Amino acid sequence: MADIFETGALAGKKVVITAGPTREAIDPVRYISNHSSGKMGYALAEAAAEAGAETILISGPVSLTPPDRVRTIAVTSAQEMYEAALHEADGSELFIASAAVADYRPVQTSQQKIKKDAAEMTIELVKNPDIVSAVAALANRPFTVGFAAETANLENYARGKLERKNLDLVIANDVSDRTIGFNSDDNEVLVVEMNTSEAIPKINKSILARQLIAKIAEMTNPTK
Ligand code: CTP
Ligand code: CA
């Protein structure tokens, strides 16, 4: 494993990684979001930089310190993450979508704080653009890796995302187990390719990130 980093397995490659949650504003003080900590994406960015890549980390709001040797772009909403990701991914060699992008945003964002006058209220939502699908559809597409956060049927749903989004690899994790994934320091994943899958048992996210970057480097540059 150490060899991968000493030889700079991703040297000369531009790698773009999305991380963390997004926030979808309801009004100036409220938003819709999720429990993503950003730890997996930050660990992947650190591992990519270690492997010699020019690494761009597009991050939603998290309480983590940006890794050394990584250019971090801070975004808030899915729409902002989409724009930054498409801009950076064009001409890159590798794109890893680890962000937990909010699937929907409020149709309207109130410019003023909403007062609790009404006994009931409804927030109408509209779907956000799918960032990783848009990157995978670029004419000059990078090797494109997605995550799949599932609470059931892990492999089936992950394979569905691989095919539907035209991805090269999907890293699936079970988010119903709170000791792994989302807010945890550890993760346990199933790495899903078109014809195979490989389970990686529960392990610290930094170690897992290095293993995943080594595997991806091997897939993108098998002769090295
Ligand atoms: N993703 C994305 N843009 C979105 C939603 C998801 O780029 N608007 C990416 C995530 O970063 C992840 C992959 O798509 O790499 C799968 O995300 P996930 O939430 O598991 O799947 P969805 O396609 O959103 O489907 P669902 O939430 O219904 O399972
Ligand atoms: Ca989703």
Side-chain angles (χ1 to χ4, degrees):
M1 183 66 65
D3 286 350
I4 289 284
F5 300 102
E6 279 154 28
T7 57
L10 289 177
K13 303 269 165 84
K14 181 180 177 185
V15 175
V16 180
I17 298 171
T18 67
T22 65
R23 285 182 186 169
E24 311 303 320
I26 297 169
D27 71 14
V29 296
R30 304 183 178 97
Y31 55 81
I32 296 171
S33 192
N34 58 64
H35 290 297
S36 171
S37 65
K39 284 174 189 165
M40 194 64 236
Y42 276 57
L44 284 163
E46 198 162 12
E50 263 176 27
E54 176 199 349
T55 308
I56 320 294
L57 177 62
I58 302 171
S59 178
V62 297
S63 52
L64 300 171
T65 309
D68 288 342
R69 290 173 293 167
V70 171
R71 178 155 68 86
T72 303
I73 301 172
V75 298
T76 304
S77 66
Q79 193 64 42
E80 286 169 15
M81 185 175 278
Y82 176 86
E83 278 156 28
L86 268 286
H87 179 74
E88 293 295 337
D90 202 7
S92 71
E93 277 82 18
L94 171 60
F95 183 81
I96 307 177
S98 76
V101 183
D103 291 330
Y104 295 89
R105 68 175 181 274
V107 170
Q108 282 176 336
T109 301
S110 171
Q111 294 308 112
Q112 306 297 334
K113 185 184 167 205
I114 299 169
K115 304 303 285 180
K116 58 174 178 185
D117 297 332
E120 285 175 26
M121 75 173 295
T122 304
I123 299 172
E124 198 183 339
L125 304 176
V126 61
K127 207 181 255 183
N128 274 324
D130 194 296
I131 300 167
V132 76
S133 296
V135 169
L138 287 171
N140 182 21
R141 77 195 281 284
F143 187 91
T144 309
V145 180
F147 272 71
E150 309 294 351
T151 57
N153 300 331
L154 194 60
E155 179 150 8
N156 277 350
Y157 282 139
R159 205 167 284 289
K161 285 172 186 172
L162 183 84
E163 288 169 11
R164 210 167 44 247
K165 300 186 188 217
N166 190 28
L167 306 179
D168 296 295
L169 195 69
V170 168
I171 301 157
N173 65 289
D174 180 348
V175 290
S176 64
D177 181 344
R178 307 291 309 189
T179 71
I180 57 169
F182 271 48
N183 238 324
S184 166
D185 285 338
D186 297 327
N187 207 353
E188 177 184 318
V189 299
L190 188 69
V191 180
V192 178
E193 294 173 59
M194 195 53 84
N195 297 311
T196 59
S197 69
E198 180 195 354
I200 303 184
K202 184 171 167 178
I203 195 167
N204 179 274
K205 282 179 179 172
S206 294
I207 300 169
L208 175 63
R210 289 190 177 130
Q211 291 181 357
L212 292 172
I213 289 294
K215 181 178 175 70
I216 291 165
E218 178 64 28
M219 284 178 78
T220 54
N221 202 4
T223 53
K224 207 169 177 183

